[in-house]
Amino acid sequence: MTTYIPGMLPDGLLVDLPEVDAQHEEIFNFIDFLKTICFEHSHMPVNEFGKLLDYFAIHFATEERIAEEVGLDFTDHAKIHTDTLRLLHKALGEVINGGQDAHSFLRFCEYWFERHIREDDKLFVSALQGGDYDRSVGYRHAASPCFSAQA
């Protein structure tokens, strides 16, 4: 992505894992880029919206790789990722078919992602950095009740 602006992620959304923080920041910057295109040009670049979902998938895979490398049980968190990608693909389909507004879709992506970082990723990184897991049992991530069922 060419829209990456380092240092724009608020401190409250930093998880203190550089690779993950950089990806979080890039995703938010890309959402802002898409908002700008939609507002300034009244145009929805479908291929760019698809890239956003691809980048979510890449980011989720990064977190899953990190958990696997240290032996954390990431099952619940990974399910949130899978469910969210399914939901976002469905919602994007509705935008493309005219059943949903592009701006609403982007606002939802931004809100969901911010909440996910605050409630899910911070818990994951805290356990990762603090060793708050039994390597023989693994880390059981408590799924957030807010979106885990819908995502």
Side-chain angles (χ1 to χ4, degrees), residues 124-143:
F124 159 61
V125 173
S126 176
L128 179 71
Q129 292 177 338
D132 295 338
Y133 56 93
D134 178 352
R135 287 192 185 269
S136 65
V137 175
Y139 163 69
R140 285 302 283 184
H141 181 273

Side-chain angles (χ1 to χ4, degrees), residues 1 62 68 82 87 125 134:
M1 284 197 254
T62 296
E68 185 177 322
T82 301
L87 176 72
V125 173
D134 178 352

Side-chain angles (χ1 to χ4, degrees), residues 62-74 124 128:
T62 296
E63 289 182 356
E64 292 166 23
R65 173 189 48 83
I66 291 168
E68 185 177 322
E69 286 174 354
V70 297
L72 294 176
D73 179 354
F74 202 67
F124 159 61
L128 179 71

Side-chain angles (χ1 to χ4, degrees), residues 18-146:
E19 180 179 15
V20 171
D21 283 333
Q23 288 181 351
H24 286 165
E25 190 164 25
E26 279 196 63
I27 289 170
F28 280 119
N29 285 333
F30 198 65
I31 291 170
D32 282 344
F33 168 73
L34 292 173
K35 283 185 196 175
T36 300
I37 289 174
C38 289
F39 282 117
E40 289 182 2
H41 304 289
S42 298
H43 167 67
M44 191 195 97
V46 174
N47 60 331
E48 295 296 320
F49 276 65
K51 286 180 187 178
L52 174 63
L53 298 189
D54 291 345
Y55 201 70
F56 270 118
I58 290 167
H59 169 64
F60 295 160
T62 296
E63 289 182 356
E64 292 166 23
R65 173 189 48 83
I66 291 168
E68 185 177 322
E69 286 174 354
V70 297
L72 294 176
D73 179 354
F74 202 67
T75 305
D76 293 336
H77 197 123
K79 182 172 179 358
I80 293 169
H81 290 167
T82 301
D83 291 348
T84 298
L85 284 174
R86 182 181 38 78
L87 176 72
L88 291 177
H89 278 283
K90 179 180 177 190
L92 180 56
E94 291 175 12
V95 171
I96 292 168
N97 292 326
Q100 179 66 271
D101 177 75
H103 301 108
S104 295
F105 173 78
L106 291 171
R107 283 191 306 270
F108 174 76
C109 287
E110 190 171 50
Y111 170 79
W112 180 89
F113 197 47
E114 183 174 327
R115 189 221 41 88
H116 181 70
I117 293 168
R118 288 183 191 274
E119 296 178 14
D120 299 317
D121 287 353
K122 284 193 173 210
L123 181 62
F124 159 61
V125 173
S126 176
L128 179 71
Q129 292 177 338
D132 295 338
Y133 56 93
D134 178 352
R135 287 192 185 269
S136 65
V137 175
Y139 163 69
R140 285 302 283 184
H141 181 273
S144 171
C146 184

